[in-house]
Structure formats: C-alpha cells, structure tokens
Amino acid sequence: RKGPKGWEPLGNYRASEVTGLFRDQTFQDTVDEDSYFSLNTFHGSDRMRRGVHQLDYMAPPLRNIPALRHLTCCWVDLDGYNCGLDKHDLQASVMRRAERGDIPVPSLFTLSRGVWAVWLLKDRLDPEAPVRDFPHAKVYGLWQRLQRCLHERLSDVGSDKGSQDGARVTRI
C-alpha cells in the first residue's frame, strides 16, 4: 500500500487462499487505504524473510520479474487526462479500435481518473489456467511484444509507457 511514508509492502497470498479474503475485516481495512495488487503471479515467497510491514497472516512480499510464475493478462494504463480525454472517452476509444480490428476486445476495464484496459490470457492447452511463464526468456519475450504492441496502438490516447512490466501493480 502507499502510506504516509511511501510504499509499504504488505505481503502476498497464495492463489489457493484467495477465496473469501474480503470477509476478513482486517484485510478489508488494509485494502481500503490505497492498496495495490499484482496483475501477474509470482513464486518463491515462502523462501523469503518476513518483511517489516508485513501483516501476520500474509506471506512475505515478492514482486519481481525473475519470480514470475504466471502471466495472467496484458493491459494498458490509459492516462487520458494528459490528452484532454476523460475515462468515458478513453473507454469508447478503445472499443472503437477493437471494432475496427486494430486491437482485440478487452476482457475488462477498470475506471478511475484514467482507464485500465485488460486482456485476460489463457493457456492454450488448459483454458482454465493462465499462461505459465516457462521458459521465461521465450514466454516473457512474447508477452513483452504484446504489451508493446497494445501500448503503441493506444499511445495517442495516453497509454503509459512505464506500466508495461510484468511486475506491475494496480489499485484494488
């Protein structure tokens, strides 16, 4: 989360433990304070030391490119206010480009001051699973090409070039 003293890494949850988290009032109070989550999944946090700001029931924070386990989606962070566009203009612009066939139709949007357009990725052999980042050099390289292409096709409506890495977080 972003606190009064800057970034405070809270930790992470295993994917198998995500069900029902928002019923926990402590977790809810924590995420109500400008909290963020990773778009992709990581592995190896069980080998990390506990962090200073970590909540008792969470594993140590781990969010870096070498620890990527699954690439769950591609996205663009559209800061249209830099181009004189509001969130509704941005969403309409993305959908018009999808209708023309310039980009695929996004799986979902998140709206705040700007817009995040998100395309969920599925494993070709197991459509219920995300794309596994293995072998890393090959898979991550293809994913980066997709990210760059989406950014380039939406750069004129405020796509943030700095939000393309696999360790990116976004607000809850």
Side-chain angles (χ1 to χ4, degrees), residues 4-138:
K5 296 180 180 179
W7 286 101
E8 299 173 340
L10 297 175
N12 70 74
Y13 284 101
R14 293 180 183 272
S16 61
E17 297 171 356
V18 171
T19 303
L21 284 178
F22 289 98
R23 290 181 298 206
D24 185 320
Q25 190 59 45
T26 306
F27 181 79
Q28 186 62 52
D29 292 344
T30 301
V31 299
D32 283 343
E33 299 177 25
D34 203 12
S35 297
Y36 296 75
F37 70 98
S38 299
L39 293 159
N40 292 313
T41 65
F42 304 88
H43 65 95
S45 67
D46 53 339
R47 296 187 297 271
M48 305 291 289
R49 280 194 328 228
R50 295 183 65 78
V52 175
H53 298 288
Q54 183 174 324
L55 299 175
D56 290 338
Y57 50 85
M58 295 176 85
L62 178 65
R63 189 177 57 84
N64 57 49
I65 304 300
L68 276 169
R69 166 75 46 101
H70 293 102
L71 296 165
T72 63
C73 58
C74 287
W75 62 82
V76 289
D77 175 7
L78 300 169
D79 298 328
Y81 47 84
N82 293 331
C83 305
L85 301 171
D86 69 13
K87 59 187 172 188
H88 306 292
D89 297 329
L90 292 171
Q91 190 174 14
S93 180
V94 170
M95 291 308 295
R96 279 194 294 275
R97 291 162 199 238
E99 287 172 4
R100 287 194 310 254
D102 297 340
I103 58 173
V105 175
S107 305
L108 61 107
F109 288 96
T110 66
L111 306 170
S112 58
R113 276 182 48 203
V115 169
W116 281 61
V118 179
W119 291 265
L120 299 178
L121 301 176
K122 297 178 182 181
D123 184 84
R124 191 175 351 149
L125 300 176
D126 181 5
E128 296 297 314
V131 174
R132 186 159 186 254
D133 186 35
F134 184 81
H136 175 74
K138 180 180 180 182

